[in-house]
Amino acid sequence: MAVSRREFLKASVATSVAAGSLSWFGASEVFGADTVVIPSASHWGPFKAVVKKGVLVGMQPLPGIDAMPTKMLTEGLISRVYHKSRVKYPMVRKSYLANPMGDTKPHLRGKEPFVRVTWEEILALTANAILTTAEKNGNEALFSSSYGGWSHAGLLRPQVLQGRLFGLIGGHSVTTGDYSGGASQISLPHIIGDMEVYSPQTAWEVIAEHTEVVVWIGCDPWKNNRIEYTVADHQMFPRWKQIKERGVKFISINPQYTPTDNALGSEWVKIIPNTDTALFLAMAYHVYTTGKYDKAYLGKYTVGFDKFLPYLLGKDADGTPPKTPEWAAKITGIPAQRIVELAELFASKRTQFAGAWSLQRAHHGEMTHWAIINFAAMLGKIGKPGEGVGFSWHYGGGGMPQSTKAMPVGLSQGRNPVKARCPASRISEMLMNPGKKYTRDGAVHTYPDARLIYNAGNNFMSHQQNTNELIRAMNKQVHTVINQDPWWCASSRFADIVLPATSALERPDISSGGTYSNDKIYAMRQVIQPFGESLDDFEIFSRLGELMGVGYQFTEGQTVMQILENAYKNAETKVPFAEFWEKGIVHLEVPEKMRQWVRHGDFYTDPVKSPLHTKSGKIELYCDEIASFKVPDCPPIPKFLEPAEYLGNAKAGQVHVVSPHPFNRVHSQMAQADVRKYENVKGRQHVRISVEDAAANGIKSGDLVELYNERGALIAGAVVTDQIMKGVVSLEEGNWIQLDSRGRCNSGAINMITTSVASSGLSQATSANTCIASLKKCTDAEGENKAYDPPPVERSGKLALNVAGMKLVERAAKLKGVTMANMTPGEKLFYERCTLCHVPREPGDYTKKQWHGITQSMFPRAGLNDQEKDIVLKFLEANAKDAGPM
């Protein structure tokens, strides 16, 4: 293919940018005539892109908008867009291309070269694989691992578009739940009436005015709020400093000292991982036996204390001893006297408990948040100004007041005719056990017989636990793996078909500022032209739709810009679209009353008028509904159940490996960007090791180390520190995978060693933070980390494909699913407006009361007016879990 002089010059400039000659320009910088400045936005923050001769060369800040631009924005976003790991052209794995309908040699995934093909060829191969799989095995055999929507911050996220297309050809099996809050999003609606993990938090001014103690329980907002699901503008960072200046005391219960603790001077309480439940049970025991609990509050606002108390006192049928501080000390590693001091401090001070999602990403993870709730309820704190429980302070700018305004709404996924689902962290089990029954939230489901995986905008190969198990399961069960992504991430490397998608900088979109505050709308204007031959996700799915005869239904005859303009019209703003698009931002006013909003405040003020959306309308210290499910590993009260593996049952010399969210990444995004140089050790993920464990293993900072167990092994770079407790190491999740000749990950990807055991039969959520491994110094690494190098690529001649002979339109017509046209008004609104984040939640997943709780957080982002809310609620109530026969 001939390259024009213009394209050659663009490539040269891009190469120099990738080599490090980019800049973070000042807000008042003046540029020449060959340079344009374009407003845009991302997960990492809003910005103005500085583009010279078609190449992104730098960023400009937005003064007064982004309170703390991070290096992910100022350096990482640019360096990764031009990185050598970009997928420039449509690619097919060599053995798959040689025999797409026969023996594709799946064991060679991740090992052999790819072949470059044309878009016409790869789309025909893709459509044919989809239709052939559905024809042979039914639409349930088409499995989507695209659930997260984290690939970019806009409305037109790939998993939404994928769901929309597959719904038009008969549907596909999907993931349900997520990795982030998978356990609590199932348990907490029964216990306190909402998911909580995705709920707004008390307004920060209330905390600043009323709170005396903030307790971080594994919670690290200073790190995790560096990014958001929408656009991070970091407004809580200066607010946390103001809260500290008001004299609020911060206590951190955590096996490691975090960026939040360093920034706010937290008092550190070291705790053995996976034992927080025992700590809160012991504190509950102490306040009860010393009379420091609030009996009146328990009677008015809770149910089930009489069934919870016998367990605390050691009189439960399970035969366990009283949950004394001495009992908990042996489990948690916290001295009994310190447990007493903490209980009495929290009882005597206005205390806000901030629990992390990481706590419930563990074996029996449902127990931890529940134990925190029970303890806080015993102290009479939930719903009072500046007190209570919150499980989303570290996410979405938790604490910023909410605008309560309607936001832009894009294309919907629509209704999926296939109801087969797999919990997000159970993909390996699904592939190893097709047709197996499993329980989730009291219902019995069946794993689909998945034969094709379509993955768009989600690096499932880096996210799924026990990577070796996943690879074995894929090789055994899956004929075709299709990955749609801008980069040669792990999911691309282990795919059969790779569709090069544009990055977020190469397409237009719209997003909001503040996942919870919703006080800004951002234009995500296209900054540069598509890299190589990449296409945006909308175009890829549109072309696939055309091949299968549903192109018009997919686009509804609209261009991307028409979709965005229509989406913007839904928002509560009087600024015309053209003016908004030019400026790149619109501010939405926050009502004054929301600056004094208290989580669970209405319930506390009047529990009769504003009950919780639990079955009882109150906080359920014992839950009858969970009891009725009869789940063997999830009791109806919070209990300390020994994890499958933790320091309490580890072998001598083993360490507990925790895997927190990265500091300079969004999961696996930016793993290859220049910002990795700030933390990586010898090109690999760093691992924090205590001074004591390092000395015992002859390790010093800068050494390579190996972590290994029966599931696998990885190589990482040591950072020896006194900010992590003995017996615990910390390895951030999200690295790409590169396996050496012995099967070790040379890049430090944590899921090589994490367990795929489910949290429990209630939620089927991940237990990644329940992980024991051996540690040793690594002296036999096989070369540098090559995870961020592209695979070998072979060029192909014209393939002998007879696209017309495939009869794709005719075959797809036989599979065609339900369209939006024959839905009831409430059903249509629900699937248009309320299915824009993860895969659509089915109405029958929740009870009527639970839907009333969940929609309080869902409706503001769905942009529904009061009449539309009522219509949707009536549809949900009519189809809820407890709606009864129709």
Side-chain angles (χ1 to χ4, degrees), residues 428-455:
S428 298
E429 183 181 354
M430 172 193 72
L431 296 178
M432 292 185 297
N433 301 284
K436 178 183 176 182
K437 294 189 182 302
Y438 68 94
T439 60
R440 185 171 184 265
D441 202 18
V444 178
H445 303 274
T446 303
Y447 286 124
D449 185 5
R451 301 303 179 94
L452 178 148
I453 292 177
Y454 200 116
N455 187 76

PDB file of all heavy atoms in Angstrom, residues 428-455:
ATOM      1  N   SER A 428     -15.154 -18.791  33.315  1.00  0.00           N
ATOM      2  CA  SER A 428     -14.426 -20.065  33.215  1.00  0.00           C
ATOM      3  C   SER A 428     -15.320 -21.229  33.614  1.00  0.00           C
ATOM      4  O   SER A 428     -15.351 -22.268  32.945  1.00  0.00           O
ATOM      5  CB  SER A 428     -13.177 -20.028  34.112  1.00  0.00           C
ATOM      6  OG  SER A 428     -12.289 -19.022  33.698  1.00  0.00           O
ATOM      7  N   GLU A 429     -16.060 -21.064  34.707  1.00  0.00           N
ATOM      8  CA  GLU A 429     -16.944 -22.142  35.152  1.00  0.00           C
ATOM      9  C   GLU A 429     -18.032 -22.407  34.121  1.00  0.00           C
ATOM     10  O   GLU A 429     -18.389 -23.565  33.861  1.00  0.00           O
ATOM     11  CB  GLU A 429     -17.582 -21.812  36.500  1.00  0.00           C
ATOM     12  CG  GLU A 429     -18.441 -22.947  37.023  1.00  0.00           C
ATOM     13  CD  GLU A 429     -19.108 -22.662  38.352  1.00  0.00           C
ATOM     14  OE1 GLU A 429     -18.830 -21.615  38.949  1.00  0.00           O
ATOM     15  OE2 GLU A 429     -19.922 -23.496  38.771  1.00  0.00           O
ATOM     16  N   MET A 430     -18.561 -21.357  33.524  1.00  0.00           N
ATOM     17  CA  MET A 430     -19.570 -21.521  32.476  1.00  0.00           C
ATOM     18  C   MET A 430     -19.015 -22.359  31.325  1.00  0.00           C
ATOM     19  O   MET A 430     -19.675 -23.285  30.825  1.00  0.00           O
ATOM     20  CB  MET A 430     -20.012 -20.159  31.955  1.00  0.00           C
ATOM     21  CG  MET A 430     -20.920 -20.211  30.736  1.00  0.00           C
ATOM     22  SD  MET A 430     -21.126 -18.602  29.930  1.00  0.00           S
ATOM     23  CE  MET A 430     -19.502 -18.380  29.177  1.00  0.00           C
ATOM     24  N   LEU A 431     -17.775 -22.026  30.899  1.00  0.00           N
ATOM     25  CA  LEU A 431     -17.196 -22.733  29.758  1.00  0.00           C
ATOM     26  C   LEU A 431     -16.867 -24.179  30.099  1.00  0.00           C
ATOM     27  O   LEU A 431     -16.962 -25.066  29.244  1.00  0.00           O
ATOM     28  CB  LEU A 431     -15.933 -22.002  29.286  1.00  0.00           C
ATOM     29  CG  LEU A 431     -16.142 -20.589  28.751  1.00  0.00           C
ATOM     30  CD1 LEU A 431     -14.808 -19.963  28.361  1.00  0.00           C
ATOM     31  CD2 LEU A 431     -17.104 -20.573  27.570  1.00  0.00           C
ATOM     32  N   MET A 432     -16.493 -24.444  31.347  1.00  0.00           N
ATOM     33  CA  MET A 432     -16.154 -25.811  31.744  1.00  0.00           C
ATOM     34  C   MET A 432     -17.391 -26.654  32.038  1.00  0.00           C
ATOM     35  O   MET A 432     -17.323 -27.880  31.991  1.00  0.00           O
ATOM     36  CB  MET A 432     -15.260 -25.781  32.984  1.00  0.00           C
ATOM     37  CG  MET A 432     -13.877 -25.198  32.730  1.00  0.00           C
ATOM     38  SD  MET A 432     -12.784 -25.311  34.172  1.00  0.00           S
ATOM     39  CE  MET A 432     -13.644 -24.269  35.364  1.00  0.00           C
ATOM     40  N   ASN A 433     -18.530 -25.962  32.323  1.00  0.00           N
ATOM     41  CA  ASN A 433     -19.736 -26.691  32.742  1.00  0.00           C
ATOM     42  C   ASN A 433     -20.982 -26.180  32.020  1.00  0.00           C
ATOM     43  O   ASN A 433     -21.937 -25.725  32.659  1.00  0.00           O
ATOM     44  CB  ASN A 433     -19.928 -26.554  34.257  1.00  0.00           C
ATOM     45  CG  ASN A 433     -18.749 -27.087  35.046  1.00  0.00           C
ATOM     46  OD1 ASN A 433     -18.580 -28.289  35.183  1.00  0.00           O
ATOM     47  ND2 ASN A 433     -17.929 -26.173  35.557  1.00  0.00           N
ATOM     48  N   PRO A 434     -21.004 -26.233  30.680  1.00  0.00           N
ATOM     49  CA  PRO A 434     -22.207 -25.753  29.983  1.00  0.00           C
ATOM     50  C   PRO A 434     -23.431 -26.559  30.412  1.00  0.00           C
ATOM     51  O   PRO A 434     -23.356 -27.782  30.574  1.00  0.00           O
ATOM     52  CB  PRO A 434     -21.860 -25.991  28.506  1.00  0.00           C
ATOM     53  CG  PRO A 434     -20.766 -27.007  28.509  1.00  0.00           C
ATOM     54  CD  PRO A 434     -19.992 -26.764  29.762  1.00  0.00           C
ATOM     55  N   GLY A 435     -24.520 -25.849  30.654  1.00  0.00           N
ATOM     56  CA  GLY A 435     -25.752 -26.511  31.075  1.00  0.00           C
ATOM     57  C   GLY A 435     -25.868 -26.735  32.569  1.00  0.00           C
ATOM     58  O   GLY A 435     -26.917 -27.172  33.047  1.00  0.00           O
ATOM     59  N   LYS A 436     -24.825 -26.413  33.322  1.00  0.00           N
ATOM     60  CA  LYS A 436     -24.872 -26.591  34.780  1.00  0.00           C
ATOM     61  C   LYS A 436     -25.797 -25.554  35.405  1.00  0.00           C
ATOM     62  O   LYS A 436     -25.816 -24.393  35.012  1.00  0.00           O
ATOM     63  CB  LYS A 436     -23.468 -26.455  35.363  1.00  0.00           C
ATOM     64  CG  LYS A 436     -23.411 -26.564  36.874  1.00  0.00           C
ATOM     65  CD  LYS A 436     -21.988 -26.356  37.385  1.00  0.00           C
ATOM     66  CE  LYS A 436     -21.926 -26.356  38.901  1.00  0.00           C
ATOM     67  NZ  LYS A 436     -20.548 -26.112  39.407  1.00  0.00           N
ATOM     68  N   LYS A 437     -26.530 -25.960  36.419  1.00  0.00           N
ATOM     69  CA  LYS A 437     -27.399 -25.035  37.138  1.00  0.00           C
ATOM     70  C   LYS A 437     -26.612 -24.352  38.257  1.00  0.00           C
ATOM     71  O   LYS A 437     -25.721 -24.941  38.865  1.00  0.00           O
ATOM     72  CB  LYS A 437     -28.605 -25.762  37.717  1.00  0.00           C
ATOM     73  CG  LYS A 437     -29.545 -26.325  36.638  1.00  0.00           C
ATOM     74  CD  LYS A 437     -30.830 -26.850  37.224  1.00  0.00           C
ATOM     75  CE  LYS A 437     -31.726 -27.438  36.137  1.00  0.00           C
ATOM     76  NZ  LYS A 437     -32.055 -26.463  35.086  1.00  0.00           N
ATOM     77  N   TYR A 438     -26.941 -23.078  38.493  1.00  0.00           N
ATOM     78  CA  TYR A 438     -26.331 -22.334  39.591  1.00  0.00           C
ATOM     79  C   TYR A 438     -27.376 -21.413  40.200  1.00  0.00           C
ATOM     80  O   TYR A 438     -28.402 -21.107  39.568  1.00  0.00           O
ATOM     81  CB  TYR A 438     -25.118 -21.532  39.104  1.00  0.00           C
ATOM     82  CG  TYR A 438     -25.456 -20.383  38.161  1.00  0.00           C
ATOM     83  CD1 TYR A 438     -25.654 -19.084  38.637  1.00  0.00           C
ATOM     84  CD2 TYR A 438     -25.566 -20.591  36.790  1.00  0.00           C
ATOM     85  CE1 TYR A 438     -25.962 -18.038  37.781  1.00  0.00           C
ATOM     86  CE2 TYR A 438     -25.874 -19.558  35.924  1.00  0.00           C
ATOM     87  CZ  TYR A 438     -26.070 -18.281  36.424  1.00  0.00           C
ATOM     88  OH  TYR A 438     -26.384 -17.244  35.576  1.00  0.00           O
ATOM     89  N   THR A 439     -27.146 -21.015  41.442  1.00  0.00           N
ATOM     90  CA  THR A 439     -28.078 -20.108  42.118  1.00  0.00           C
ATOM     91  C   THR A 439     -27.511 -18.703  42.152  1.00  0.00           C
ATOM     92  O   THR A 439     -26.298 -18.507  42.231  1.00  0.00           O
ATOM     93  CB  THR A 439     -28.346 -20.569  43.555  1.00  0.00           C
ATOM     94  OG1 THR A 439     -27.095 -20.592  44.273  1.00  0.00           O
ATOM     95  CG2 THR A 439     -28.957 -21.955  43.577  1.00  0.00           C
ATOM     96  N   ARG A 440     -28.395 -17.726  42.086  1.00  0.00           N
ATOM     97  CA  ARG A 440     -27.999 -16.325  42.254  1.00  0.00           C
ATOM     98  C   ARG A 440     -29.215 -15.546  42.721  1.00  0.00           C
ATOM     99  O   ARG A 440     -30.274 -15.595  42.095  1.00  0.00           O
ATOM    100  CB  ARG A 440     -27.455 -15.743  40.947  1.00  0.00           C
ATOM    101  CG  ARG A 440     -26.915 -14.312  41.087  1.00  0.00           C
ATOM    102  CD  ARG A 440     -26.195 -13.896  39.815  1.00  0.00           C
ATOM    103  NE  ARG A 440     -25.583 -12.577  39.952  1.00  0.00           N
ATOM    104  CZ  ARG A 440     -26.153 -11.430  39.568  1.00  0.00           C
ATOM    105  NH1 ARG A 440     -27.354 -11.441  39.013  1.00  0.00           N
ATOM    106  NH2 ARG A 440     -25.518 -10.283  39.729  1.00  0.00           N
ATOM    107  N   ASP A 441     -29.075 -14.889  43.857  1.00  0.00           N
ATOM    108  CA  ASP A 441     -30.141 -14.081  44.437  1.00  0.00           C
ATOM    109  C   ASP A 441     -31.429 -14.884  44.601  1.00  0.00           C
ATOM    110  O   ASP A 441     -32.525 -14.402  44.327  1.00  0.00           O
ATOM    111  CB  ASP A 441     -30.390 -12.829  43.603  1.00  0.00           C
ATOM    112  CG  ASP A 441     -31.078 -11.737  44.405  1.00  0.00           C
ATOM    113  OD1 ASP A 441     -31.056 -11.805  45.654  1.00  0.00           O
ATOM    114  OD2 ASP A 441     -31.638 -10.802  43.790  1.00  0.00           O
ATOM    115  N   GLY A 442     -31.272 -16.129  45.031  1.00  0.00           N
ATOM    116  CA  GLY A 442     -32.429 -16.956  45.338  1.00  0.00           C
ATOM    117  C   GLY A 442     -33.073 -17.642  44.160  1.00  0.00           C
ATOM    118  O   GLY A 442     -34.022 -18.411  44.335  1.00  0.00           O
ATOM    119  N   ALA A 443     -32.560 -17.373  42.954  1.00  0.00           N
ATOM    120  CA  ALA A 443     -33.127 -17.999  41.754  1.00  0.00           C
ATOM    121  C   ALA A 443     -32.136 -19.013  41.187  1.00  0.00           C
ATOM    122  O   ALA A 443     -30.931 -18.912  41.401  1.00  0.00           O
ATOM    123  CB  ALA A 443     -33.459 -16.938  40.713  1.00  0.00           C
ATOM    124  N   VAL A 444     -32.667 -19.975  40.455  1.00  0.00           N
ATOM    125  CA  VAL A 444     -31.832 -20.992  39.815  1.00  0.00           C
ATOM    126  C   VAL A 444     -31.693 -20.651  38.335  1.00  0.00           C
ATOM    127  O   VAL A 444     -32.690 -20.396  37.646  1.00  0.00           O
ATOM    128  CB  VAL A 444     -32.438 -22.400  39.980  1.00  0.00           C
ATOM    129  CG1 VAL A 444     -31.580 -23.435  39.256  1.00  0.00           C
ATOM    130  CG2 VAL A 444     -32.565 -22.754  41.456  1.00  0.00           C
ATOM    131  N   HIS A 445     -30.454 -20.618  37.855  1.00  0.00           N
ATOM    132  CA  HIS A 445     -30.161 -20.324  36.457  1.00  0.00           C
ATOM    133  C   HIS A 445     -29.357 -21.469  35.865  1.00  0.00           C
ATOM    134  O   HIS A 445     -28.870 -22.348  36.580  1.00  0.00           O
ATOM    135  CB  HIS A 445     -29.374 -19.020  36.334  1.00  0.00           C
ATOM    136  CG  HIS A 445     -30.046 -17.838  36.949  1.00  0.00           C
ATOM    137  ND1 HIS A 445     -30.972 -17.076  36.277  1.00  0.00           N
ATOM    138  CD2 HIS A 445     -29.914 -17.274  38.174  1.00  0.00           C
ATOM    139  CE1 HIS A 445     -31.389 -16.091  37.072  1.00  0.00           C
ATOM    140  NE2 HIS A 445     -30.760 -16.189  38.230  1.00  0.00           N
ATOM    141  N   THR A 446     -29.203 -21.431  34.552  1.00  0.00           N
ATOM    142  CA  THR A 446     -28.431 -22.451  33.841  1.00  0.00           C
ATOM    143  C   THR A 446     -27.372 -21.779  32.984  1.00  0.00           C
ATOM    144  O   THR A 446     -27.674 -20.833  32.238  1.00  0.00           O
ATOM    145  CB  THR A 446     -29.347 -23.302  32.940  1.00  0.00           C
ATOM    146  OG1 THR A 446     -30.377 -23.896  33.741  1.00  0.00           O
ATOM    147  CG2 THR A 446     -28.549 -24.394  32.248  1.00  0.00           C
ATOM    148  N   TYR A 447     -26.133 -22.263  33.090  1.00  0.00           N
ATOM    149  CA  TYR A 447     -25.074 -21.712  32.256  1.00  0.00           C
ATOM    150  C   TYR A 447     -25.342 -22.031  30.785  1.00  0.00           C
ATOM    151  O   TYR A 447     -25.669 -23.170  30.438  1.00  0.00           O
ATOM    152  CB  TYR A 447     -23.710 -22.302  32.630  1.00  0.00           C
ATOM    153  CG  TYR A 447     -23.137 -21.795  33.919  1.00  0.00           C
ATOM    154  CD1 TYR A 447     -22.772 -22.682  34.929  1.00  0.00           C
ATOM    155  CD2 TYR A 447     -22.923 -20.434  34.124  1.00  0.00           C
ATOM    156  CE1 TYR A 447     -22.228 -22.218  36.125  1.00  0.00           C
ATOM    157  CE2 TYR A 447     -22.388 -19.968  35.304  1.00  0.00           C
ATOM    158  CZ  TYR A 447     -22.038 -20.861  36.305  1.00  0.00           C
ATOM    159  OH  TYR A 447     -21.501 -20.394  37.474  1.00  0.00           O
ATOM    160  N   PRO A 448     -25.197 -21.051  29.903  1.00  0.00           N
ATOM    161  CA  PRO A 448     -25.370 -21.324  28.471  1.00  0.00           C
ATOM    162  C   PRO A 448     -24.213 -22.171  27.923  1.00  0.00           C
ATOM    163  O   PRO A 448     -23.136 -22.231  28.515  1.00  0.00           O
ATOM    164  CB  PRO A 448     -25.362 -19.928  27.849  1.00  0.00           C
ATOM    165  CG  PRO A 448     -24.587 -19.086  28.807  1.00  0.00           C
ATOM    166  CD  PRO A 448     -24.888 -19.639  30.171  1.00  0.00           C
ATOM    167  N   ASP A 449     -24.467 -22.806  26.800  1.00  0.00           N
ATOM    168  CA  ASP A 449     -23.451 -23.606  26.109  1.00  0.00           C
ATOM    169  C   ASP A 449     -22.738 -22.688  25.113  1.00  0.00           C
ATOM    170  O   ASP A 449     -22.994 -22.728  23.912  1.00  0.00           O
ATOM    171  CB  ASP A 449     -24.131 -24.787  25.405  1.00  0.00           C
ATOM    172  CG  ASP A 449     -23.141 -25.740  24.753  1.00  0.00           C
ATOM    173  OD1 ASP A 449     -21.921 -25.545  24.921  1.00  0.00           O
ATOM    174  OD2 ASP A 449     -23.585 -26.671  24.059  1.00  0.00           O
ATOM    175  N   ALA A 450     -21.842 -21.848  25.612  1.00  0.00           N
ATOM    176  CA  ALA A 450     -21.206 -20.806  24.804  1.00  0.00           C
ATOM    177  C   ALA A 450     -20.173 -21.401  23.853  1.00  0.00           C
ATOM    178  O   ALA A 450     -19.285 -22.143  24.276  1.00  0.00           O
ATOM    179  CB  ALA A 450     -20.556 -19.767  25.704  1.00  0.00           C
ATOM    180  N   ARG A 451     -20.279 -21.032  22.576  1.00  0.00           N
ATOM    181  CA  ARG A 451     -19.323 -21.513  21.571  1.00  0.00           C
ATOM    182  C   ARG A 451     -18.588 -20.365  20.883  1.00  0.00           C
ATOM    183  O   ARG A 451     -17.573 -20.591  20.222  1.00  0.00           O
ATOM    184  CB  ARG A 451     -20.052 -22.349  20.514  1.00  0.00           C
ATOM    185  CG  ARG A 451     -20.795 -23.561  21.072  1.00  0.00           C
ATOM    186  CD  ARG A 451     -19.876 -24.499  21.836  1.00  0.00           C
ATOM    187  NE  ARG A 451     -20.589 -25.644  22.377  1.00  0.00           N
ATOM    188  CZ  ARG A 451     -20.678 -26.819  21.754  1.00  0.00           C
ATOM    189  NH1 ARG A 451     -20.111 -26.984  20.574  1.00  0.00           N
ATOM    190  NH2 ARG A 451     -21.345 -27.819  22.312  1.00  0.00           N
ATOM    191  N   LEU A 452     -19.122 -19.159  21.010  1.00  0.00           N
ATOM    192  CA  LEU A 452     -18.479 -17.969  20.433  1.00  0.00           C
ATOM    193  C   LEU A 452     -18.474 -16.883  21.488  1.00  0.00           C
ATOM    194  O   LEU A 452     -19.493 -16.639  22.141  1.00  0.00           O
ATOM    195  CB  LEU A 452     -19.227 -17.514  19.175  1.00  0.00           C
ATOM    196  CG  LEU A 452     -18.715 -16.260  18.461  1.00  0.00           C
ATOM    197  CD1 LEU A 452     -18.952 -16.372  16.944  1.00  0.00           C
ATOM    198  CD2 LEU A 452     -19.390 -14.980  18.975  1.00  0.00           C
ATOM    199  N   ILE A 453     -17.339 -16.240  21.677  1.00  0.00           N
ATOM    200  CA  ILE A 453     -17.236 -15.097  22.588  1.00  0.00           C
ATOM    201  C   ILE A 453     -17.016 -13.843  21.755  1.00  0.00           C
ATOM    202  O   ILE A 453     -16.105 -13.787  20.924  1.00  0.00           O
ATOM    203  CB  ILE A 453     -16.062 -15.267  23.578  1.00  0.00           C
ATOM    204  CG1 ILE A 453     -16.340 -16.410  24.561  1.00  0.00           C
ATOM    205  CG2 ILE A 453     -15.809 -13.965  24.342  1.00  0.00           C
ATOM    206  CD1 ILE A 453     -15.194 -16.690  25.519  1.00  0.00           C
ATOM    207  N   TYR A 454     -17.885 -12.855  21.971  1.00  0.00           N
ATOM    208  CA  TYR A 454     -17.692 -11.541  21.339  1.00  0.00           C
ATOM    209  C   TYR A 454     -17.374 -10.560  22.465  1.00  0.00           C
ATOM    210  O   TYR A 454     -18.143 -10.405  23.404  1.00  0.00           O
ATOM    211  CB  TYR A 454     -18.950 -11.107  20.582  1.00  0.00           C
ATOM    212  CG  TYR A 454     -18.683 -10.041  19.532  1.00  0.00           C
ATOM    213  CD1 TYR A 454     -18.891 -10.295  18.185  1.00  0.00           C
ATOM    214  CD2 TYR A 454     -18.210  -8.781  19.891  1.00  0.00           C
ATOM    215  CE1 TYR A 454     -18.650  -9.330  17.210  1.00  0.00           C
ATOM    216  CE2 TYR A 454     -17.958  -7.807  18.926  1.00  0.00           C
ATOM    217  CZ  TYR A 454     -18.172  -8.087  17.586  1.00  0.00           C
ATOM    218  OH  TYR A 454     -17.920  -7.133  16.638  1.00  0.00           O
ATOM    219  N   ASN A 455     -16.226  -9.899  22.343  1.00  0.00           N
ATOM    220  CA  ASN A 455     -15.742  -9.016  23.394  1.00  0.00           C
ATOM    221  C   ASN A 455     -15.440  -7.651  22.797  1.00  0.00           C
ATOM    222  O   ASN A 455     -14.618  -7.532  21.885  1.00  0.00           O
ATOM    223  CB  ASN A 455     -14.476  -9.610  24.019  1.00  0.00           C
ATOM    224  CG  ASN A 455     -14.012  -8.841  25.236  1.00  0.00           C
ATOM    225  OD1 ASN A 455     -14.589  -8.968  26.304  1.00  0.00           O
ATOM    226  ND2 ASN A 455     -12.981  -8.038  25.071  1.00  0.00           N
TER     227      ASN A 455
END
